[in-house]
Amino acid sequence: MKFEDNLRELETLVQKMESGELKLDDMISSFEKGRSLVEVCTKDLESIRLKIEKVTKSGETEEL
């Protein structure tokens, strides 16, 4: 899945959990899925950060 899709799913899970309407088992499942999505999003963001650094550093050498 794309980063945006994962983030959207995470936001939906959070909204459901905050609503207070989930049963405990559903809340736990949602929490576990949310933790997994946070890890995936964090890895994606780190990868994006490294790509930006690479492009930025590449641009700096070209300017010199």
Side-chain angles (χ1 to χ4, degrees):
M1 270 208 262
K2 291 185 175 183
F3 173 80
E4 292 85 359
D5 296 331
N6 288 329
L7 186 59
R8 196 172 301 113
E9 184 177 353
L10 181 59
E11 289 171 343
T12 300
L13 283 173
V14 169
Q15 289 173 353
K16 287 180 183 178
M17 291 172 66
E18 288 178 339
S19 74
E21 296 176 13
L22 292 177
K23 294 180 183 180
L24 183 57
D25 288 339
D26 294 333
M27 179 73 82
I28 292 169
S29 296
S30 294
F31 180 80
E32 290 171 342
K33 177 66 176 173
R35 291 280 301 176
S36 174
L37 287 168
V38 166
E39 289 178 22
V40 170
C41 287
T42 300
K43 287 178 184 175
D44 288 348
L45 286 173
E46 179 62 15
S47 175
I48 292 167
R49 184 186 68 78
L50 292 173
K51 287 179 185 177
I52 290 171
E53 280 184 7
K54 184 177 179 181
V55 169
T56 303
K57 287 181 182 179
S58 170
E60 288 174 359
T61 17
E62 289 178 11
E63 291 176 10
L64 297 175

